[in-house]
Amino acid sequence: MPDALHFTEDEAANRLLAEDPFALLVGFALDQQVTVQQAFLGPLRLKQRLGTLEPRAVADADLEPLFREKPAIHRFPGSMAERVRELAATVAEEYGGDASRIWTEAEDGADLRRRISALPGFGEMKVKSLGAVLAKRFGVPVAQELAPAHPTLGDVDSPQALADYQAAKRIHKAEWSKAPAA
């Protein structure tokens, strides 16, 4: 287990991501149309504002005002508050509030893919990226086959590695956007 995941510039947020499986899921849920740093700072901000990240409490809370409070947790506070609420409800109802059961109880890579894909807001890119983090940072064996060959957040093990990952991602996106449509 890592002591921290270096996805933000805030050490408390980085430690929370490593220590709390639900915080990690919330960070991934928020990782859409904002920087990685902004997305993964969200779980800490939510915990500070709500007082807990216990999934049942998050599912039962009115999250939108907490997401709108300055600094906002996400640039789309209404829709992302609802997504996090739905994620919390799923974890509470299907996994007894223990987000780690998503991967610790997965029978194999296919089962893990199915479990992650069933989470609100988790498409194929997030499945691969979360799989890479679980495989490379947490040593989860069933996640190995989900990790893609290209660099992901799973390769980030320091602040410099995050900067390198983001630079490579920008180059990849620029090249991809120039490619002719098939």
Side-chain angles (χ1 to χ4, degrees), residues 28-143:
F28 272 99
L30 296 174
D31 190 14
Q32 183 174 324
Q33 298 182 325
V34 295
T35 65
V36 168
Q37 292 91 332
Q38 176 75 15
F40 287 94
L41 186 56
L44 178 64
R45 285 186 175 155
L46 180 59
K47 184 176 183 177
Q48 290 168 336
R49 294 171 189 181
L50 185 60
T52 183
L53 278 183
E54 193 282 314
R56 176 52 53 204
V58 173
D60 291 342
D62 180 8
L63 299 180
E64 190 169 341
L66 304 177
F67 269 68
R68 290 188 186 283
E69 184 180 314
K70 301 292 182 200
I73 291 176
H74 197 277
R75 68 186 285 201
F76 299 111
S79 61
M80 294 313 270
E82 180 58 21
R83 177 166 294 157
V84 169
R85 194 203 62 69
E86 290 171 359
L87 175 63
T90 299
V91 170
E93 293 161 14
E94 295 183 25
Y95 298 99
D98 181 356
S100 72
R101 287 179 53 201
I102 294 167
W103 50 89
T104 61
E105 295 179 359
E107 294 175 17
D108 54 27
D111 186 34
L112 180 58
R113 177 182 299 282
R114 181 192 58 73
R115 289 164 175 254
I116 297 171
S117 295
L119 299 173
F122 281 70
E124 185 59 22
M125 287 178 57
K126 288 185 185 182
V127 168
K128 289 177 180 177
S129 191
L130 176 57
V133 170
L134 293 173
K136 296 176 180 181
R137 302 275 66 88
F138 292 94
V140 176
V142 296

Side-chain angles (χ1 to χ4, degrees), residues 6-30:
H6 300 279
F7 299 168
T8 78
E9 295 161 2
D10 184 297
E11 282 307 309
N14 293 341
R15 283 191 307 277
L16 179 64
L17 295 169
E19 295 165 359
D20 184 335
F22 183 66
L24 181 62
L25 291 182
V26 170
F28 272 99
L30 296 174

